[in-house]
Amino acid sequence: MTRTGTTTPAKLRRALRREVPSTVGLLADEHDFTAMRRYRTFAFDDHTTYLRQVEALLRTLATQGGHTTVTLFDPEEYAAYCAETALDPDHPASRSRFTAHLAATGARVTYTGQPLSALLPELVDTAVRHATWEYATTVLATTGDCATCGKDIGRAAFERAARLLSRLLEAAGPGTHHLVCSVPAADDQLLAVLHAEGTTSPTDVEETEAAEFTAVLAAGIVLGAPGGLVLRTTTPGARDRLHGWRLTGGTLTPLTEAEVFAAYCTDARTGEPLSPEPGVDHRAGFPLTPDPDDDWTTHH
């Protein structure tokens, strides 16, 4: 139902346009942009001009009052999508359909007027987190049941990882905690980051971050991968504290102070030593309270 009166059809269409969401598929880097140039209907010749025009489009959409999201446009995924759906990849309508597909299934960031220099890193980080979540949950969903007890191994690993995380945060105590979990998987490295506030009340953790972190830790447990977890705690008026654990046998084994120092003060790419960060204490990982329901090594 609409209120006509003195409202013109053009005004009604503009009002309706504000209720239609928009999604922009963005070619974030030069490599992806170059891959799209093989299509005759792709109108741009250089990446800088393309990014400038995308930013102008986003600003225009924002002035129209609608909801706009941005997603990463991957040329390889696009070609595969067109092959699976029998679409002509050298057609603007095909690119539009693929972008709509990404809006429903892929990682996306809401455009709120931020410059592209801020939007791009946020979009890439969101895409990496999305891919990590998909990989980790796929590992957990496809592992199957335990031959001994019949339990779903993926579910059991997730529950175990959640208990490990809870006990670690309880033991960490007051302060602002920054945790990183790293698990080798196939030819890549799964990374998850979690921020938490430890106080006298229950630890305050962002729910989505906690789920992603727990899934990566659980995937490491299922895979039996030689992963690791590090914790950095900041408290007002004190030096930062760094602790570390090794993921082995389905549990977190504390690293020694020397191992924590070596992990933080060694270049992971070259193996060369790095200068210690000022104002930071490298400490051994603290032992976690034993889990009374721990039967992982027996049944899984």
Side-chain angles (χ1 to χ4, degrees), residues 129 133 193-194 205-215:
R129 286 178 55 190
W133 168 257
V193 177
L194 180 66
V205 183
E206 203 278 321
E207 187 175 345
T208 301
E209 265 194 7
E212 293 172 351
F213 192 93
T214 304

Side-chain angles (χ1 to χ4, degrees), residues 72-175:
L72 281 181
F73 194 105
D74 186 303
E76 290 185 8
E77 288 184 16
Y78 172 62
Y81 175 82
C82 288
E84 292 171 4
T85 55
L87 292 174
D88 177 8
D90 199 358
H91 198 286
S94 300
R95 294 193 284 274
S96 178
R97 282 185 59 176
F98 179 64
T99 300
H101 167 74
L102 292 176
T105 62
R108 54 201 177 278
V109 169
T110 300
Y111 178 71
T112 57
Q114 64 268 52
L116 215 56
S117 58
L119 179 65
L120 276 172
E122 181 184 2
L123 182 57
V124 171
D125 179 67
T126 301
V128 170
R129 286 178 55 190
H130 181 78
T132 299
W133 168 257
E134 284 195 332
Y135 186 95
T137 53
T138 298
V139 168
L140 299 179
T142 57
T143 303
D145 297 336
C146 176
T148 303
C149 67
K151 291 182 180 179
D152 182 309
I153 295 176
R155 181 183 296 275
F158 190 90
E159 292 172 352
R160 178 175 178 76
R163 293 195 299 269
L164 284 171
L165 177 60
S166 177
R167 299 207 305 276
L168 189 150
L169 289 175
E170 286 175 5

Side-chain angles (χ1 to χ4, degrees), residues 52 54-64 111 113:
R52 189 162 55 242
V54 167
E55 189 162 27
L57 171 63
L58 291 171
R59 287 197 297 265
T60 299
L61 291 171
T63 62
Q64 296 173 356
Y111 178 71

Side-chain angles (χ1 to χ4, degrees), residues 196-268:
E197 292 293 333
T199 62
T200 53
S201 60
T203 302
D204 181 19
V205 183
E206 203 278 321
E207 187 175 345
T208 301
E209 265 194 7
E212 293 172 351
F213 192 93
T214 304
V216 169
L217 181 56
I221 292 173
V222 165
L223 295 170
L229 189 151
V230 293
L231 165 69
R232 179 171 186 151
T233 298
T234 301
T235 52
R239 292 165 62 89
D240 283 9
R241 306 188 307 276
L242 297 176
H243 302 269
W245 292 261
R246 181 183 296 107
L247 178 60
T248 178
T251 194
L252 293 172
T253 302
L255 297 177
T256 66
E257 184 176 312
E259 287 172 326
V260 173
F261 182 87
Y264 271 93
C265 299
T266 302
D267 189 305

